[in-house]
Amino acid sequence: MSNADRQHDVVVWGATGVAGRLVAEYLTEQYTPDTLSLALGGRDENRLQAVESELLDGNDEWASIPIVIGDATDPETLREIAGDTRVVCTTVGPYTKYGTPLVEACVEAGTDYCDLTGEVNWTREIVDEYHDAAVDADTRIVHSCGFDSVPADLGTLLAQSFAMEEFGAPCSRVRIYLESGSGGVSGGTLASAAELFEAASKDPEVRKVLGNPYSLAPPGEREGVDPGEQRLPRKDPLRSSWTAPSPMAPINERVVRRSNALLEYPWGRGFRCTEVVPTGPGLGGAATAGLISGGLGSFTVALSFGPTRSALKRFVFPDPGEGPSEEQMQQGHFRVRVRGQGTNEDGPFTVDAVVGADRDPGYGGTARMLGESAMCLLEDDTDSPLSGGVLTPASAIGTPLAERLRAVGFTASANVASEDVDS
């Protein structure tokens, strides 16, 4: 079946979950049936019909939304869905458990795909198993299209593009700062984190992947100058602030390095990337950095051991399918700054890119990031030399995603760095 003959433009797979429902809600609010043939996908028809009713309530543009039924563990139903769809947009995790058959179905059907994964070990499996086949099929498998890892990946691309335009040279290093953020966490997100730690506890190969800063680079290129994510409080080299480790650094840094590799190293093979949480100057900043580092370390230790991991899943984490309240999502916001430093014939220069929104980062913001990623793939609204492969947001889509996000209220900009933001 040719792409033009397919019944659905986009299937939101996992539409009954927290993130999937929000993506479907965003797409039906932002687009109309005249511009988008949307379908809701999952395994429970009654729950999907309930989501459809909620989406149609008060929305005069949409009279109905088709429903497609399948099972994440049944390759045959997934092949049928992929074969009748132009873009599959999936929120069903943990991807380590439920993601691989859908990727395989999309590669076989020549169907573009985007997801929200932050699971480094699973992304590495997909890279190794399906990248070459996706290249041959001219099929784009685009991972990490939400808060993991659009702000970091797209922000780095914006900073580098501006540096090239303004100074004629790329930044040799970037520092990614999670400057501010407020929002909630769903059971599905925490289940994915627990799944990653469980895999690492059982499989030395997973531990090896998690320990290599270049584990998502192409085969043969999985080493470089970066030592890996920051693990302790540190005075920042590019601004007068203390910094703490970022919980998202293990995925975001690797995604950015993969973007550089996939684009054939426009930022150089010596490019360095670090993501941190700035905590401010002076003793107060140092103390806050210490508290964050200690808390993150304790949480990591708790997830690393089976008994404490099981206790957290049973007594602390919300159930999969549960998420933050509407109030939490409405009051949420985030801002990520990417500060890049490079050198040209006139000497050193520093640039800043900022990506942010007055939206909960993991849900309201992520729904827009994933939804617009799917629309970029659908409409081929991309600035990329790559037509297929296991890709990243920056390498598969590029600056058109920033333009679309700006149109729906995001900040996505780059400029010469101003005075120190911590002073």
Side-chain angles (χ1 to χ4, degrees):
M1 180 183 295
S2 72
N3 222 325
D5 294 332
R6 301 187 183 202
Q7 184 175 358
H8 310 299
D9 287 338
V10 175
V11 167
V12 177
W13 180 246
T16 59
V18 177
R21 194 163 59 244
L22 288 170
V23 173
E25 179 182 315
Y26 169 73
L27 289 173
T28 53
E29 290 176 350
Q30 189 70 18
Y31 298 94
T32 69
D34 293 334
T35 58
L36 173 65
S37 172
L38 178 70
L40 308 178
R43 63 180 181 180
D44 189 320
E45 186 171 5
N46 290 332
R47 292 180 63 196
L48 287 166
Q49 289 173 342
V51 172
E52 181 196 12
S53 295
E54 291 174 8
L55 296 177
L56 298 179
D57 186 26
N59 189 327
D60 296 333
E61 297 283 353
W62 294 80
S64 65
I65 306 172
I67 288 171
V68 296
I69 306 299
D71 191 311
T73 62
D74 181 4
E76 184 57 38
T77 60
L78 298 178
R79 281 194 287 268
E80 291 176 5
I81 292 167
D84 204 20
T85 305
R86 297 176 67 189
V87 179
V88 170
C89 174
T90 175
T91 63
V92 177
Y95 292 90
T96 304
K97 273 189 174 181
Y98 302 118
T100 302
L102 182 57
V103 170
E104 183 173 351
C106 287
V107 172
E108 289 180 359
T111 299
D112 288 332
Y113 163 107
C114 54
D115 69 24
L116 296 175
T117 190
E119 299 163 46
V120 175
N121 57 319
W122 180 72
T123 300
R124 167 64 176 270
E125 289 178 16
I126 299 301
V127 167
D128 288 350
E129 186 71 22
Y130 295 103
H131 177 75
D132 290 344
V135 170
D136 292 342
D138 280 342
T139 299
R140 295 168 290 194
I141 304 297
V142 191
H143 294 310
S144 305
C145 293
F147 194 50
D148 291 327
S149 300
V150 166
D153 196 35
L154 187 60
T156 299
L157 180 67
L158 292 174
Q160 293 285 19
S161 297
F162 180 80
M164 289 299 299
E165 292 171 4
E166 190 74 12
F167 298 102
C171 301
S172 59
R173 68 170 171 176
V174 299
R175 302 275 291 178
I176 302 165
Y177 305 99
L178 302 186
E179 286 195 334
S180 65
S182 173
V185 180
S186 77
T189 298
L190 293 171
S192 292
E195 189 72 23
L196 187 150
F197 277 90
E198 185 168 350
S201 71
K202 297 177 179 178
D203 190 339
E205 284 301 312
V206 172
R207 293 195 293 274
K208 186 177 178 180
V209 167
L210 297 178
N212 180 1
Y214 292 86
S215 58
L216 297 187
E221 302 181 41
R222 290 172 176 163
E223 60 182 21
V225 298
D226 262 334
E229 56 266 22
Q230 179 176 314
R231 300 185 183 278
L232 296 171
R234 183 186 172 193
K235 190 74 179 294
D236 195 80
L238 299 187
R239 53 194 286 188
S240 59
S241 174
W242 282 87
T243 58
S246 165
M248 297 167 62
I251 180 64
N252 288 347
E253 291 180 8
R254 287 167 175 81
V255 167
V256 171
R257 294 185 194 110
R258 180 163 178 79
S259 293
N260 187 37
L262 289 171
L263 295 172
E264 299 187 354
Y265 299 99
W267 313 329
R269 289 182 177 271
F271 168 73
R272 290 175 291 159
C273 167
T274 306
E275 180 175 297
V276 293
V277 178
T279 58
L283 293 177
T288 302
L291 288 173
I292 293 174
S293 300
L296 183 59
S298 298
F299 184 65
T300 299
V301 169
L303 281 178
S304 299
F305 292 96
T308 50
R309 184 170 59 247
S310 297
L312 286 171
K313 291 166 66 176
R314 183 176 180 183
F315 299 112
V316 179
F317 292 175
D319 292 332
E322 294 183 8
S325 67
E326 185 68 27
E327 182 180 2
Q328 284 178 304
M329 289 191 287
Q330 290 292 336
Q331 294 179 352
H333 66 276
F334 73 92
R335 184 177 63 202
V336 174
R337 183 183 302 271
V338 178
R339 175 159 286 186
Q341 189 176 67
T343 304
N344 64 7
E345 59 185 14
D346 296 322
F349 61 85
T350 306
V351 302
D352 274 355
V354 175
V355 178
D358 290 330
R359 299 280 178 178
D360 174 278
Y363 297 93
T366 281
R368 285 156 176 75
M369 288 184 268
L370 181 60
E372 291 300 338
S373 295
M375 295 302 296
C376 284
L377 295 176
L378 174 66
E379 298 177 357
D380 204 24
D381 184 15
T382 64
D383 181 11
S384 170
L386 306 172
S387 60
V390 179
L391 308 176
T392 61
S395 64
I397 303 171
T399 53
L401 181 56
E403 294 165 7
R404 284 176 173 267
L405 292 176
R406 282 193 289 267
V408 295
F410 276 58
T411 298
S413 62
N415 288 285
V416 176
S418 59
E419 292 296 320
D420 197 307
V421 293
D422 301 300
S423 59

